[in-house]
Amino acid sequence: MENEYEISSSSLSFVSFPAGDTNLSGPEIEANPDYLSLSMLSSSLEKLRLDPGLGYADAEIVVDGVPVGVHRCLLAVRSEYFQGLFSKPCNDSQGNGSNDKPRYHMAELMAPTRGYVGIEAFNVVLNYLYTAKMKPSPPEVSTCVNDQCDHDACRPTIDYAVELMYASSTFQIQELVLLLQRRLLYFVDKALIEDVIPILVASFRCNSKQLLSHCIQRVSMSDLDSVVLEKEIPPEVLPEIKSLRNESNQGSGSALPQEDLTDHQKGIQRIHKAIDSDDVELLELLLKESRVTLNDAFALHYATAYSDPKVVKKVLDLKLADLNLKNSRGLTVLHVAARRKVPSILGALLENGACALETTPDGQTALCICRKLTRPKDYEDIQKGKESNKDQVCIDLLERGMKNVSASGRRLVRSEVTAADLHMLGYFESRVKMAAMLFPAEARTAMEMAEADWTPLYKGLALKGSWGTGNSNETACMSAERLQQKLQALRKTVEMGERYFPNCSEEIVKFIDDMPDAMYLEKGTEEEKESKKRRYMELRDDIQRAFYKDIAETNVPASSSLSQASSSSSSSSPRNRIRNRIKLKV
């Protein structure tokens, strides 16, 4: 859109007339005949718009399948957009012969901005064009069904304002655009970061630069990861957000040298691409050939947010993903599904063991999230004998999920998921244990950087004849929550090792493949034992060489290893100690 609207400090009170009784009276009105005349004119025009029995409407605009009668001469006078629209021939009409009425479709009118405008928002904008009065926001579409919400910045409130923005910007009603920009600026500062994205998209499409700039600032300072940004932010805006993030990191001293993606990051990208292409066979092949797991890639989170429900079901059928795993923002896959509001996805997750009681960092359950996203119109206005709205179905599913978990008195954990967790626990323990044997100071620092509690985990890694779990009975009896905490700590530690010591990490994996457990060296004939010991020494030497290769590739003398870094001033964090000693490969 060519027009750019900037927010001024001038008063816009003239667009906020009372929306109740339009038959105004009183001393102020009687003392001002001009005001009285304008009020009467406004009331008459509103009656003309609302009373179809008058029969003077000469065109129709179809919104949500509902034809709305309009008067072309009036709209053309009030809006240059409609003046241009009505001056062109219309291919669609309603009627016969001389009574043909041009018919326009809202979806086609909104095509340039790709915005959606519902019947309620259109009626408010249309009423303003006729009367110069802003009617109150209809609560059935501008509030949510969460009883605890003050509806100050919930998603339905924002979506309704965005619809008004699309309509007023498309129809070139400048004073209304300015009023809505002010309202949306308020939402940007107050709303959840996920709910700022539709405001950012609308401001970009409507060419509202001041509002867009404010949205970009908020998003750049948020904890939204790169996957969300790539998927949901317009590509024209994304470079500016990335630039602001880089500047912020440099200013805080936390910026790291940017080189090619690591093998781990490439593995995650390949998994996401396989999900995007609905190629589960490729996904299974990638999982077999790569050390990157579904949980490493948060693949189920990704599929739930962006894929077809059939793809989500296929990923679930692999039985390799933890349904209650929380991503970097503290969200489980059920929280992500609650925002998307697809009943088949929510039902599949709950059926496979997703816990409805899990909360976000700010204490919201999936049910609470879903309620805050649902309008009363989509939940309460269900006519008898008609199919329930999908929003209502989603809330009902989550309510039943909450009741089922509460009734059981404990978190439901499926045996398949637990088995996968135990397998990964043994694998990660093997790698961390081997690193702790050969490079104790470096392994300890990696644990600290992973923000894991080192002491209890280190004790649990004491060598007891296996590179894997030291106490199988303890693991079997371990609560689901404790198991997940330990698994996450070990996973983060392994990721840190792969990030800062990629060559060494590869050699450790080879070592574990060739030496299944500590007792492996004591099995077989004397000749076989001797051969195994020689192989053991070769593998150990390979690990040592790989370690010093990693040190050399970061241009740090071998004497300046992480063990020395870990003994430096206690005032430095582990992350800063490593950053100061080594140029990290990321």
Side-chain angles (χ1 to χ4, degrees):
M1 183 174 294
E2 296 181 358
N3 293 331
E4 175 192 333
Y5 300 117
E6 294 297 340
I7 302 173
S8 67
S9 59
S10 60
S11 172
L12 296 173
S13 59
F14 62 93
V15 300
S16 302
F17 280 86
D21 185 7
T22 56
N23 297 316
L24 302 178
S25 61
E28 297 84 357
I29 302 302
E30 294 176 357
N32 191 335
D34 290 339
Y35 190 97
L36 178 60
S37 298
L38 290 173
S39 178
M40 293 176 62
L41 175 61
S42 177
S43 299
S44 298
L45 291 174
E46 185 173 28
K47 182 179 179 181
L48 179 67
R49 187 186 79 82
L50 296 176
D51 190 351
L54 295 177
Y56 296 122
D58 58 357
E60 289 181 345
I61 298 178
V62 181
V63 188
D64 292 342
V66 179
V68 179
V70 298
H71 304 79
R72 285 181 291 176
C73 61
L74 197 151
L75 295 186
V77 170
R78 293 283 282 133
S79 164
E80 291 185 5
Y81 172 84
F82 283 112
Q83 182 179 350
L85 178 69
F86 296 147
S87 65
K88 302 173 184 177
C90 178
N91 296 326
D92 193 0
S93 63
Q94 176 69 20
N96 297 301
S98 60
N99 294 325
D100 284 356
K101 291 182 179 180
R103 171 173 283 186
Y104 304 88
H105 296 267
M106 180 60 69
E108 296 175 0
L109 302 184
M110 292 294 114
T113 61
R114 290 169 289 163
Y116 168 77
V117 177
I119 184 68
E120 294 84 6
F122 176 69
N123 279 330
V124 168
V125 173
L126 190 62
N127 190 80
Y128 174 75
L129 287 173
Y130 274 75
T131 68
K133 296 179 182 179
M134 278 297 290
K135 297 179 72 67
S137 301
E140 66 272 16
V141 294
S142 61
T143 62
C144 68
V145 297
N146 189 325
D147 295 335
Q148 306 302 318
C149 181
D150 58 8
H151 312 303
D152 193 29
C154 59
R155 185 59 176 266
T157 304
I158 292 173
D159 286 344
Y160 175 73
V162 167
E163 289 182 33
L164 292 176
M165 180 70 174
Y166 276 124
S168 57
S169 178
T170 299
F171 301 154
Q172 300 176 18
I173 313 171
Q174 183 175 3
E175 67 274 16
L176 198 53
V177 170
L178 297 176
L179 182 67
L180 291 165
Q181 284 178 334
R182 287 185 177 181
R183 185 63 175 162
L184 291 172
L185 277 173
Y186 170 80
F187 289 148
V188 171
D189 292 328
K190 193 172 180 66
L192 294 174
I193 187 60
E194 294 92 343
D195 297 332
V196 173
I197 292 179
I199 303 177
L200 184 151
V201 174
S203 62
F204 169 72
R205 293 176 177 175
C206 296
N207 198 28
S208 176
K209 292 186 177 180
Q210 187 174 347
L211 179 59
L212 176 61
S213 176
H214 200 57
C215 291
I216 289 174
Q217 288 289 338
R218 173 79 196 277
V219 172
S220 67
M221 294 185 293
S222 73
D223 59 355
L224 291 176
D225 59 40
S226 58
V227 173
V228 175
L229 297 181
E230 295 282 351
K231 282 287 187 178
E232 302 184 22
I233 301 296
E236 298 87 347
V237 178
L238 190 56
E240 185 174 353
I241 293 176
K242 290 182 176 180
S243 176
L244 288 173
R245 283 192 167 185
N246 289 336
E247 291 176 5
S248 177
N249 289 336
Q250 291 172 359
S252 63
S254 60
L256 301 176
Q258 297 296 315
E259 299 180 6
D260 294 338
L261 293 175
T262 64
D263 290 340
H264 184 79
Q265 292 169 324
K266 291 178 181 177
I268 291 176
Q269 286 190 347
R270 285 192 285 267
I271 287 176
H272 289 174
K273 289 180 180 178
I275 293 174
D276 286 337
S277 61
D278 191 12
D279 194 339
V280 178
E281 291 183 359
L282 174 60
L283 178 61
E284 291 183 280
L285 182 62
L286 290 172
L287 293 174
K288 290 178 181 178
E289 296 183 350
S290 170
R291 295 193 298 272
V292 180
T293 67
L294 287 181
N295 290 338
D296 292 336
F298 293 108
L300 193 53
H301 287 74
Y302 183 86
T304 299
Y306 304 115
S307 298
D308 186 271
K310 294 180 180 178
V311 178
V312 178
K313 182 65 167 59
K314 291 178 181 178
V315 176
L316 281 172
D317 289 342
L318 295 177
K319 308 296 184 185
L320 296 175
D322 178 3
L323 274 72
N324 296 308
L325 176 68
K326 293 188 176 182
N327 63 14
S328 60
R329 303 187 63 237
L331 305 179
T332 68
V333 68
L334 199 63
H335 297 146
V336 176
R339 292 197 65 86
R340 189 174 174 186
K341 295 192 298 183
V342 177
S344 59
I345 293 178
L346 280 169
L349 293 174
L350 291 168
E351 182 182 354
N352 281 270
C355 181
L357 293 180
E358 290 282 2
T359 60
T360 62
D362 60 349
Q364 305 294 313
T365 63
L367 175 60
C368 183
I369 292 172
C370 197
R371 281 188 168 276
K372 283 190 173 182
L373 295 170
T374 302
R375 308 179 302 177
K377 176 183 178 180
D378 300 325
Y379 183 68
E380 299 168 353
D381 188 21
I382 306 299
Q383 298 181 16
K384 186 176 181 180
K386 289 191 175 182
E387 184 179 357
S388 297
N389 186 285
K390 71 178 183 67
D391 297 69
Q392 186 184 43
V393 174
C394 289
I395 291 176
D396 290 345
L397 283 170
L398 290 170
E399 286 179 340
R400 286 198 294 270
M402 294 278 285
K403 292 177 182 177
N404 291 339
V405 177
S406 299
S408 68
R410 59 183 176 84
R411 176 183 296 180
L412 302 177
V413 181
R414 290 176 60 87
S415 59
E416 296 88 349
V417 174
T418 302
D421 287 341
L422 290 175
H423 173 76
M424 295 308 301
L425 181 67
Y427 173 73
F428 287 135
E429 276 193 350
S430 298
R431 294 185 59 173
V432 174
K433 182 182 295 185
M434 180 57 62
M437 285 176 54
L438 301 175
F439 317 106
E442 286 74 14
R444 181 185 295 271
T445 303
M447 291 286 288
E448 292 173 352
M449 289 184 63
E451 299 178 351
D453 186 0
W454 169 266
T455 305
L457 284 169
Y458 186 76
K459 290 180 179 178
L461 297 177
L463 293 177
K464 295 185 180 180
S466 169
W467 306 131
T469 306
N471 190 335
S472 59
N473 291 330
E474 179 186 359
T475 302
C477 299
M478 189 182 300
S479 68
E481 183 174 359
R482 183 181 172 195
L483 174 65
Q484 293 300 333
Q485 290 175 348
K486 186 171 184 179
L487 182 60
Q488 290 305 311
L490 290 169
R491 177 185 287 109
K492 289 182 180 179
T493 303
V494 170
E495 289 174 355
M496 288 295 173
E498 290 178 341
R499 185 178 185 185
Y500 302 128
F501 298 95
N503 297 302
C504 188
S505 295
E506 290 183 5
E507 293 300 326
I508 287 178
V509 172
K510 293 178 183 178
F511 185 102
I512 294 173
D513 289 341
D514 282 8
M515 301 286 164
D517 53 62
M519 300 302 297
Y520 178 76
L521 299 176
E522 305 301 324
K523 298 176 182 178
T525 64
E526 291 299 321
E527 184 177 350
E528 290 173 341
K529 291 179 183 179
E530 189 64 25
S531 175
K532 291 178 182 179
K533 288 181 180 179
R534 286 196 300 269
R535 179 57 179 160
Y536 172 86
M537 297 304 297
E538 291 173 359
L539 291 171
R540 183 164 180 168
D541 290 341
D542 289 341
I543 293 175
Q544 292 284 357
R545 282 192 292 270
F547 172 77
Y548 287 108
K549 181 180 179 181
D550 287 326
I551 295 294
E553 288 179 351
T554 55
N555 297 322
V556 177
S559 60
S560 299
S561 68
L562 285 181
S563 59
Q564 291 178 333
S566 64
S567 62
S568 62
S569 172
S570 60
S571 62
S572 300
S573 68
R575 189 178 298 274
N576 287 333
R577 294 202 299 268
I578 291 180
R579 186 183 301 115
N580 293 334
R581 293 284 183 178
I582 295 179
K583 293 181 179 179
L584 303 179
K585 293 184 66 178
V586 294

